[in-house]
Amino acid sequence: MAADLEEKTDRYGTLLAEALEAATVAPPEGSPMAEAAAECDEMARSYLEDGRHFRDEDDLVNALAAFSYGHAWLDAGARIGLFDVPTEGHLFTV
């Protein structure tokens, strides 16, 4: 079971990093929606950093949770139009 958690944690960390690379801010710069997108991006990046810290400490449960929360910020932002994201593939649920 520990191997399953380790594999899943690493997979979700990679997924979040790839999703951050693929997402671009959709609203025009300077608009309130662009500010909201920037906040979502910042949250996702912070959770990626936190997840990596927890992973380095072998705290797999908290690492997985952080990676999952980070991806949720991006996914929610994509669904409401804050980010342009790929519609094909495994990175987003749009």
Side-chain angles (χ1 to χ4, degrees):
M1 178 143 162
D4 293 339
L5 179 58
E6 190 168 352
E7 183 277 327
K8 189 171 191 173
T9 300
D10 292 343
R11 183 166 33 96
Y12 276 53
T14 299
L15 180 71
L16 176 53
E18 290 176 4
L20 279 163
E21 289 294 319
T24 58
V25 173
E29 189 175 325
S31 70
M33 294 300 281
E35 288 181 35
E39 290 176 9
C40 286
D41 181 79
E42 181 181 355
M43 290 300 294
R45 289 181 190 282
S46 293
Y47 275 116
L48 177 62
E49 185 178 317
D50 290 349
R52 287 177 172 165
H53 168 77
F54 289 130
R55 180 66 180 94
D56 289 344
E57 298 293 317
D58 286 328
D59 184 349
L60 299 178
V61 171
N62 283 318
L64 179 57
F67 294 146
S68 297
Y69 285 134
H71 198 274
W73 276 94
L74 281 183
D75 224 11
R79 292 189 57 89
I80 63 171
L82 297 179
F83 300 107
D84 287 325
V85 298
T87 56
E88 300 295 321
H90 67 283
L91 295 179
F92 296 94
T93 60
V94 293

